[in-house]
Structures are given as structure tokens and as C-alpha cells.
Amino acid sequence: MAIPKDARIGLSPEDIPKKWYNLAADLKDLQPMINPQTKEPVKPEELEAIFCKEIIRQEMSTERYIDIPEEVRDNYIYLNRPAPLQRAYRLEKYLKTPAKIYFKREDMSPLGSHKGNTALAQAYYNAEAGIRTLTTETGAGQWGTALAMVSNLFDIDSTVFMVRGSYNQKPHRKTLMHTYGAKVYASPSEYTDYGKKVLKEHPETSGSLGIAISEACELAAKSGGTTKYSLGSVMNHVMLHQTVIGLETMEQMKIGEIEPDYMVACCGGGSNFAGFTFPMMGERLKGKNECQFIGVESEAAPSMTHGEFKYDFGDTAGMTPMILMYTLGSQFIPSPVHAGGLRYHGMSPLVSAACNQGFVKPVAYGQDSTFEAGVIFSRTEGIVPAPESCHAIKGAIDIALECKEKNEEKTIVFCLSGHGYLDLYGYEQYLEGVMKDSSAKF
């Protein structure tokens, strides 16, 4: 039997994109970051305490395409780019659906997730600016792992504040970051003034990404310019770097003659969803397709499905500029779900704007249903997905079952943002029937 031509669609290293795509060039009515003291739009120089100049330039850019430096592009090969696009034949058969299901495999990176796409770029630009120390936050640990690893390529030291709930749930993530040479602190920590303040007021807290961001920003701001902050999601430059995912996917869909009716990805701060969907969304804005973009959140932190579209701080301490986004409030502390990367109180301003303008349909699921989807995927496709990725799989399965009910031959493409081999404790809890409902109550 011949292998179907769409079973796995690959690209050669020469096909790695040469430019990133910037949705800010095509999405209308975008609003600037606001300085909370002056109430005026943030000036580039006001961000220099925590970011290097090229990152700031990209953050504020409305250029449609931005060149990927050759050194970054060359190193993408070692993150297993280009990543394959694969047909989920066995999942389709299990669901008895007429729908076609494809998934983009970001799990095949040596880092285990998509996070290296921007970590590599940010480390490169900081090294070019003479920075030798980076500090950051991490939720489930994928982002901290990515920054820790790529920092070695540019002789950079890294300090990671890991959300305490995930720090306790996922000890091997900490070990992996230590192996790559990073310093790792459970956040809130005793290492920063803000961390000490939170621990004094809430000694039993499981932490949040907002708190960890505050600690990392404090460390950078007080360094006198020797340390810069590196962000794993939310801001425009991170969305930009991740578009290598969607640009590759579009090229692979052309090769496979695939016209997606739905593109589905998980949403925490927005980087995976943006990277996967923005290039195709840009084409939709030009009237070139009618694809629907489904952003899948955790019910523990459903910013788009239950939050308000308003200006808010990106961190808990109020150290960052205010950004227009869907938010549950910067003081919101979500339950310690296993999908630690989906526990942010807000959503990327670009993803938020696209959602507010009707180009993104958000849905939210709880832990049990997403782990159920992850187990189905594991048993059909043989890949154990990250808890975050289970949300995208659940979204894709629900659409496929709807297609079955309506007997519609739709095409679904989702992003497998990472593998779950360091998240087996969560699977164990699900399989033993002891997983807690950690959905936020509204």
C-alpha cells in the first residue's frame, strides 16, 4: 500500500522562512501601550531598562515582514525546523468522522515545544547588544527550558522565575533548566523585593505568571543595564518570531493541496496560537480565505471567554506598561492546573484585537476533558501531548465530532505545541481518577 502523500508533509532546511510575518501591518485599530504614570503612549526609550533596542524596535514595528537573521535561521535547524505537518488518520478513524485532521508538530524540537522559536531570536539580539545575562518567567517550564538552552549558544547566563505551582508539580522541568545552566527560583521567591512582599502576604500561594513576570522585570530594572528581560509570550515581538510555525504550515498546505476550514491552537499568553494562525489570518484579512481560527483556553484562566477587553498591567506588581487586552485582572491568581502555560491573566494584545474584531473564536475547557483528549490522541497517534496541547486537541476533536453529526467533510489543522513526557504526573492523576477540577468560578 502506498503511503498517502499527505501522511506527513516536510520541507527542506532551505525552506525555513527568511522573514517573520507581522500581523500589526494588516490588523486595524491597534492601540499603543500606555505609560501608567503619564497616561501617554509608551516611548521606545522607556522600555530600554528591560529590553534591548532591537527587541523594542520589533515590538513597535508595523512592517509586514521582518528579516530573520542568518544566524537565527541557521540555528532553527537545530530546533528541528522545518517541523512536519502530519495527517491524523488514526484519530479520524477512531472518531469515525468525515473530517480531515492535520497537526503541525512543534513537539519534535529537542526542547519539546515551540518556545525555542522566539528564545533563539531574543538571545541572539541581546547578545548582539552586548547583554550577557537574561532573566525571565516560566509557567509549566517550556519557556524557561527554551531560554536556558539557547542562552548557551550565545554565552548568556539565564535566571528563571518559575511559577510555584508548576515548580512543585514538575520537578524535572527544573532539573532540565539546571542541566542547561540556568538559575531557577520558585515564584514568588525570596530573591526579589516583590517576591518577598507576596510571600509575606500570601505564604501559601501557588503563584502566577503575573507575579513571576514582576520578579523578572525587577531583577532586570535594578541591574543598571547589565541584565535584560526576555518574555515568553504576550508581546508583539514574541508573536512575530513564532510565525515561522504558520509560514511553514502555509507552505506545507500548498504542497498537500490542503485548504483548512479551521485552524486550532491553545491560548495562554498567545504565542503558540499567534505563531500558528497569524500568517493565514493575514491572508483572510485580504479576503483570500474563509478559515476560522479557534483559540482554546484553560477554564482556569479563560481571559478571552470570561475576561474584559481593556487596558491592564502585564504583571501583578504594576511594573509593566498597560496594554489593551482581554484580561481577568492583573491580581487574578489561577488554580495550579497542569497546563501551566495557560495560566496567564491576560491575552496578547494582537490576539485580543483579532478576537475583538471577530477573527478569533475562543473556547475554554477544563482539565478532565482536555486530558481525555490527550489520552485519545496518545492511543491513536502514539504521541503524548503537553497539557497545553491537549486543549488544541480537544478543540479539534469537538469540531470533528460536529462534522460527524452533520456529515460535513471539513478540514481541521491544529498545532501540537509540545510533547508531554515531562508532564506524566498529570496524566497519572487523570488515569487514576483523582484529578481536581481547577476551573475558575465567575
Side-chain angles (χ1 to χ4, degrees), residues 211-420:
I211 294 170
I213 291 170
S214 294
E215 292 203 84
C217 286
E218 178 186 321
L219 200 63
K222 289 183 175 180
S223 72
T226 61
T227 297
K228 295 296 183 182
Y229 171 55
S230 186
L231 182 66
S233 192
V234 184
M235 294 186 76
N236 292 8
H237 65 275
V238 185
M239 310 297 113
L240 175 78
H241 301 154
Q242 291 291 359
T243 59
V244 292
I245 304 172
L247 292 164
E248 287 180 6
T249 303
M250 284 180 63
E251 189 62 31
Q252 289 160 324
M253 290 192 296
K254 288 179 187 175
I255 293 170
E257 298 179 346
I258 300 163
E259 295 184 8
D261 296 291
Y262 301 92
M263 293 185 76
V264 186
C266 62
C267 281
S271 69
N272 178 249
F273 177 84
F276 180 57
T277 65
F278 276 8
M280 195 69 172
M281 194 180 295
E283 294 297 290
R284 179 177 165 181
L285 290 169
K286 299 169 190 172
K288 295 184 178 181
N289 66 67
E290 295 182 356
C291 184
Q292 295 185 53
F293 305 99
I294 313 299
V296 189
E297 304 183 298
S298 167
E299 286 184 351
S303 58
M304 288 189 290
T305 47
H306 284 87
E308 293 182 69
F309 186 58
K310 67 178 184 179
Y311 272 99
D312 195 9
F313 290 104
D315 71 320
T316 303
M319 297 178 63
T320 66
M322 300 190 76
I323 53 181
L324 183 61
M325 61 179 176
Y326 281 100
T327 177
L328 298 165
S330 60
Q331 302 304 307
F332 178 78
I333 306 294
S335 300
V337 291
H338 293 283
L342 306 186
R343 293 180 71 245
Y344 187 56
H345 68 267
M347 185 54 61
S348 151
L350 278 177
V351 175
S352 293
C355 181
N356 185 253
Q357 294 177 34
F359 297 108
V360 178
K361 178 185 176 182
V363 295
Y365 297 115
Q367 285 203 111
D368 277 341
S369 64
T370 55
F371 270 93
E372 178 186 23
V375 169
I376 291 170
F377 189 75
S378 301
R379 293 176 181 176
T380 54
E381 297 299 323
I383 303 163
V384 178
E388 293 82 2
S389 305
C390 290
H391 289 68
I393 295 168
K394 169 64 174 170
I397 286 175
D398 277 6
I399 296 168
L401 291 176
E402 184 179 330
C403 290
K404 176 182 177 180
E405 190 176 309
K406 296 179 179 179
N407 195 31
E408 293 179 337
E409 296 183 10
K410 300 288 188 178
T411 298
I412 306 159
V413 187
F414 74 87
C415 190
L416 183 67
S417 59
H419 69 62

Side-chain angles (χ1 to χ4, degrees), residues 46-278:
E46 293 172 349
L47 297 174
E48 290 181 11
I50 58 173
F51 293 122
C52 70
K53 288 184 178 181
E54 179 57 24
I55 290 295
I56 296 169
R57 187 189 75 80
Q58 292 182 6
E59 178 63 28
M60 296 187 161
S61 174
T62 55
E63 298 173 66
R64 182 168 287 110
Y65 294 100
I66 293 178
D67 290 338
I68 301 176
E70 280 300 313
E71 189 169 354
V72 172
R73 194 166 172 269
D74 290 345
N75 277 292
Y76 274 154
I77 296 170
Y78 300 105
L79 297 182
N80 209 32
R81 304 224 74 86
L85 180 68
Q86 194 162 313
R87 177 86 176 266
Y89 278 108
R90 294 186 296 274
L91 178 61
E92 293 172 11
K93 183 178 179 180
Y94 173 85
L95 297 173
K96 298 181 175 64
T97 179
K100 295 179 180 179
I101 305 174
Y102 298 85
F103 58 101
K104 179 68 168 173
R105 295 203 58 179
E106 294 300 301
D107 64 305
M108 297 179 74
S109 163
L111 298 169
S113 82
H114 68 291
K115 291 293 188 178
N117 299 327
T118 184
L120 185 59
Q122 292 186 51
Y124 168 80
Y125 288 124
N126 277 282
E128 287 289 291
I131 302 302
R132 288 292 169 258
T133 305
L134 288 173
T135 182
T136 195
E137 78 296 324
T138 195
Q142 291 99 327
W143 166 244
T145 297
L147 189 66
M149 189 278 256
V150 301
S151 292
N152 291 307
L153 302 178
F154 301 102
D155 194 26
I156 289 175
D157 295 325
S158 54
T159 298
V160 182
F161 292 92
M162 185 174 185
V163 174
R164 185 172 294 273
S166 291
Y167 184 94
N168 293 332
Q169 284 180 346
K170 305 172 191 289
H172 293 122
R173 285 284 181 194
K174 176 183 65 176
T175 301
L176 190 54
M177 286 183 269
H178 283 159
T179 301
Y180 285 136
K183 296 177 183 176
V184 186
Y185 298 97
S187 174
S189 74
E190 294 284 353
Y191 195 67
T192 66
D193 290 340
Y194 187 67
K196 292 175 185 176
K197 178 178 180 292
V198 174
L199 284 174
K200 184 177 180 180
E201 295 173 358
H202 307 283
E204 302 301 321
T205 182
S206 61
S208 72
L209 279 165
I211 294 170
I213 291 170
S214 294
E215 292 203 84
C217 286
E218 178 186 321
L219 200 63
K222 289 183 175 180
S223 72
T226 61
T227 297
K228 295 296 183 182
Y229 171 55
S230 186
L231 182 66
S233 192
V234 184
M235 294 186 76
N236 292 8
H237 65 275
V238 185
M239 310 297 113
L240 175 78
H241 301 154
Q242 291 291 359
T243 59
V244 292
I245 304 172
L247 292 164
E248 287 180 6
T249 303
M250 284 180 63
E251 189 62 31
Q252 289 160 324
M253 290 192 296
K254 288 179 187 175
I255 293 170
E257 298 179 346
I258 300 163
E259 295 184 8
D261 296 291
Y262 301 92
M263 293 185 76
V264 186
C266 62
C267 281
S271 69
N272 178 249
F273 177 84
F276 180 57
T277 65
F278 276 8

